Amino acid sequence: MNKVIEINHLTKNYGKHRGVSDVSFSVNEGEIFGFLGPNGAGKSTTIRSMLGFIHFESGNIHLLGKNIQTDLQTILKDIGYMPSETMFYPTMKVKDIIQMAADIRQKDCQAEAQMLCERLQIDTGKKISDLSLGNRKKVSIVCAMQHKPRLFIFDEPTSGLDPLMQNEFFKLIQEYVHNGATCMLSTHILPEVKKYCNRVAIMKDGKLQCVTSADDVLIEEPSLEDYFMHFYMN
Amino acid sequence: MLTIYKNELKTNLKSLLIWVLCVGGMGFACILLFADLADSMKGMAESFASMGAFSDAFGMNQLSIATLSGFYATEIGTIHTLGGAMFAAICSICMLSKEEDGHTSEFLFSLPVSRVQVVTAKWLTITTLILLFNLLCVLFYLTGISMLGEEIALKEFCLYHTLQFVMHLELAAICFTMSACMKKNRFGMGLGVVLFLYAYDLISKITPNLSDYKLLSPFSFANASDIFSTGKSDIAALILGGSILLGCICITLLLYKKRDLAA
């Protein structure tokens, strides 16, 4: 099976502060991969290293079979990323933001964007500054999905979304994954992982604790919550 | 890259128009006032020219403010120089830092665009804004001069405004480099740089010990009174200014490429 994400011995420190240390894992094509850990565990540092926002000290990262240190721009064309803090240019309208993302990608995403806006019930005529957090999240989903990427990276995607939209969001992910995409989902919400992910990685204090299948977790411990707590209490 | 350039231009258009109306409008009004003030200026010109260090600092020892060229160089020149420098600094000091200050860097850099392309697009925006600012202000001044029915030394006028454009670019480049190192918008710091360099320029004109170092200030090669009185500029200062401009852009590229972006 093709490896869409391959991280080997990733180490990143912020001066004297710990970032992540010797993190290695891989994600296969067509998986929904859960990335778990409490605040400050190193999930966002790993994701930010994967997307080239920050430079890491050692290790290497391959996404879609390419090294991010040499082919980042090519890789980003096939990635849909949704940050945990979704902020856009406040004076712009929703439709302009969506169009801007498509223009920079040099892709005609109009049909897909329209479908996504309808399903997520987005008013594209509104100004970004007039949107609530939940509505900004929806715009971020459209920007991440409209170009039909091969790899999705979501950082706490459902915080701020109402339950109906959370459901619609996961339906969309499943549809894209069904069509061949891969998804990495960083979250705190264990029921989401339990319900949708094939495998999970658990981070603690900047180190990877384990990578296991969601089914195996449920065999070892009565619930994912117990499994998760087992790592953090020890 | 073109998308970022167009977006930045659109975002900064309102600010450009406000600055043009303020600086160009003030210059335009001052030029029209010259007709009423011309007679009384004749008496004042002599005393203004013999005010020692004050006259030296503002170039009134070289030109008579009773003539339009002299009035333009000393009065309009000061308004345009300082107004344009402040606009250039405000435009560029937050051009890169605003992405992190507004938490939009993750959106922008998750798109297939390199940091070099972002820096290039943003620098092109600054250059365009400063060019438009200078052109529109010149339009205001020329309208005022033509309404006045007077003539102004055209060669000096063109040289002065060309060098002003270069000087504004140099100040913008210094602030742009600072912007590449900051995670928050610091408008005050940009204005501080402009005022410090302007004060340094004034002091270096009247302090003999500093006269050899006055070329360090960007204001030295685009000095209106020097240009309107001699018809030329300080070439050494211009070369140094151009080198600082290019150096700042290269440093900005290197710094921005290497730095970790804040969330």
Side-chain angles (χ1 to χ4, degrees):
Chain A
M1 199 173 275
N2 283 341
K3 285 188 169 71
V4 174
I5 299 174
E6 226 182 328
I7 298 179
N8 294 308
H9 309 293
L10 175 70
T11 298
K12 165 71 187 173
N13 291 310
Y14 298 99
K16 286 179 184 170
H17 300 283
R18 172 193 57 74
V20 292
S21 174
D22 200 27
V23 170
S24 301
F25 65 88
S26 61
V27 178
N28 298 321
E29 192 172 12
E31 267 190 315
I32 301 181
F33 185 83
F35 200 45
L36 288 172
N39 294 328
K43 302 186 305 292
S44 291
T45 299
T46 307
I47 290 176
R48 291 166 59 72
S49 301
M50 288 165 68
L51 294 164
F53 298 156
I54 54 176
H55 302 276
F56 43 89
E57 273 96 51
S58 61
N60 61 67
I61 300 175
H62 285 79
L63 301 181
L64 302 163
K66 294 186 177 83
N67 190 330
I68 68 142
Q69 282 171 310
T70 51
D71 293 308
L72 186 62
Q73 302 323 308
T74 318
I75 293 166
L76 288 175
K77 282 182 185 168
D78 268 327
I79 287 184
Y81 170 61
M82 183 179 170
S84 56
E85 206 175 337
T86 43
M87 296 296 279
F88 300 103
Y89 305 105
T91 54
M92 286 175 79
K93 285 186 175 170
V94 170
K95 60 181 174 190
D96 297 330
I97 285 284
I98 294 170
Q99 188 60 51
M100 181 187 172
D103 287 346
I104 291 178
R105 292 186 183 283
Q106 295 174 321
K107 272 190 179 176
D108 180 12
C109 311
Q110 224 168 345
E112 195 72 5
Q114 198 181 337
M115 179 277 287
L116 289 165
C117 287
E118 277 167 19
R119 284 182 65 174
L120 295 168
Q121 297 163 18
I122 299 173
D123 180 354
T124 55
K126 274 195 171 177
K127 255 188 177 183
I128 292 292
S129 55
D130 296 335
L131 299 183
S132 64
L133 169 67
N135 281 322
R136 284 207 310 273
K137 283 265 179 186
K138 290 195 239 170
V139 177
S140 189
I141 294 170
V142 178
C143 291
M145 291 180 169
Q146 64 173 341
H147 58 292
K148 299 182 194 167
R150 286 169 60 202
L151 172 62
F152 290 103
I153 299 173
F154 295 114
D155 196 356
E156 295 171 31
T158 51
S159 59
L161 287 181
D162 63 56
L164 284 175
M165 281 303 137
Q166 287 184 17
N167 191 42
E168 193 61 35
F169 168 71
F170 281 110
K171 262 192 202 168
L172 282 166
I173 288 188
Q174 285 175 317
E175 285 169 25
Y176 282 108
V177 168
H178 180 73
N179 290 327
T182 306
C183 176
M184 179 173 170
L185 186 72
S186 167
T187 180
H188 297 293
I189 306 164
L190 300 178
E192 283 178 358
V193 176
K194 206 159 41 177
K195 194 170 175 187
Y196 300 105
C197 295
N198 307 104
R199 288 195 306 146
V200 290
I202 299 182
M203 294 283 290
K204 182 189 174 187
D205 297 335
K207 287 187 177 145
L208 186 69
Q209 300 298 311
C210 72
V211 181
T212 183
S213 81
D215 294 339
D216 288 347
V217 171
L218 297 174
I219 293 165
E220 283 182 37
E221 294 282 350
S223 71
L224 183 61
E225 285 81 355
D226 290 339
Y227 191 77
F228 188 76
M229 291 307 287
H230 158 81
F231 277 102
Y232 293 100
M233 301 312 278
N234 295 324
Chain B
M1 199 172 88
L2 197 65
T3 310
I4 299 170
Y5 170 72
K6 279 197 264 183
N7 182 45
E8 284 295 342
L9 215 53
K10 210 172 148 188
T11 310
N12 285 290
L13 202 64
K14 206 189 275 180
S15 158
L16 169 74
L17 291 176
I18 291 169
W19 276 91
V20 165
L21 281 174
C22 290
V23 177
M26 209 189 297
F28 174 76
C30 282
I31 291 168
L32 292 184
L33 274 178
F34 178 73
D36 298 327
L37 297 173
D39 289 336
S40 52
M41 288 266 186
K42 276 173 192 157
M44 288 158 65
E46 239 174 71
S47 49
F48 270 140
S50 54
M51 287 170 73
F54 180 80
S55 308
D56 297 347
F58 291 95
M60 286 183 287
N61 58 336
Q62 303 175 67
L63 290 156
S64 166
I65 56 165
T67 65
L68 181 62
S69 288
F71 181 77
Y72 190 89
T74 51
E75 306 301 322
I76 317 299
T78 307
I79 293 169
H80 184 78
T81 300
L82 267 178
M86 284 179 181
F87 172 69
I90 284 174
C91 257
S92 50
I93 195 76
C94 60
M95 194 50 102
L96 291 167
S97 62
K98 71 180 175 187
E99 299 293 348
E100 283 165 276
D101 191 53
H103 304 283
T104 50
S105 56
E106 287 205 335
F107 166 68
L108 184 62
F109 289 101
S110 68
L111 300 169
V113 60
S114 70
R115 296 192 192 190
V116 173
Q117 284 173 312
V118 170
V119 170
T120 310
K122 290 191 178 243
W123 177 250
L124 280 177
T125 309
I126 292 170
T127 307
T128 309
L129 288 170
I130 293 174
L131 181 67
L132 285 173
F133 172 86
N134 277 280
L135 287 175
L136 292 170
C137 282
V138 165
L139 206 66
F140 266 102
Y141 307 148
L142 286 176
T143 310
I145 291 166
S146 73
M147 280 171 75
L148 211 61
E150 297 250 0
E151 278 187 7
I152 196 162
L154 200 61
K155 184 193 143 207
E156 283 79 7
F157 182 88
C158 293
L159 179 65
Y160 167 67
H161 281 290
T162 308
L163 292 175
Q164 280 287 310
F165 171 61
V166 178
M167 184 266 280
H168 292 154
L169 279 185
E170 185 190 343
L171 283 167
I174 294 168
C175 292
F176 194 53
T177 306
M178 290 164 68
S179 181
C181 311
M182 298 187 304
K183 291 178 179 175
K184 295 265 171 210
N185 291 338
R186 307 245 187 258
F187 291 105
M189 208 180 266
L191 290 178
V193 168
V194 167
L195 294 176
F196 170 78
L197 290 171
Y198 186 71
Y200 175 81
D201 182 60
L202 291 182
I203 293 165
S204 65
K205 279 183 200 163
I206 54 175
T207 311
N209 289 341
L210 282 175
S211 60
D212 290 343
Y213 303 103
K214 72 175 182 184
L215 80 173
L216 291 174
S217 166
F219 293 95
S220 59
F221 66 80
N223 189 294
S225 48
D226 287 346
I227 294 167
F228 276 89
S229 61
T230 62
K232 57 187 182 191
S233 168
D234 184 344
I235 296 296
L238 180 60
I239 291 169
L240 181 68
S243 310
I244 291 172
L245 197 165
L246 292 175
C248 281
I249 294 167
C250 294
I251 292 168
T252 306
L253 280 168
L254 288 173
L255 284 175
Y256 206 64
K257 241 178 113 173
K258 288 197 167 183
R259 67 172 292 190
D260 286 349
L261 294 171

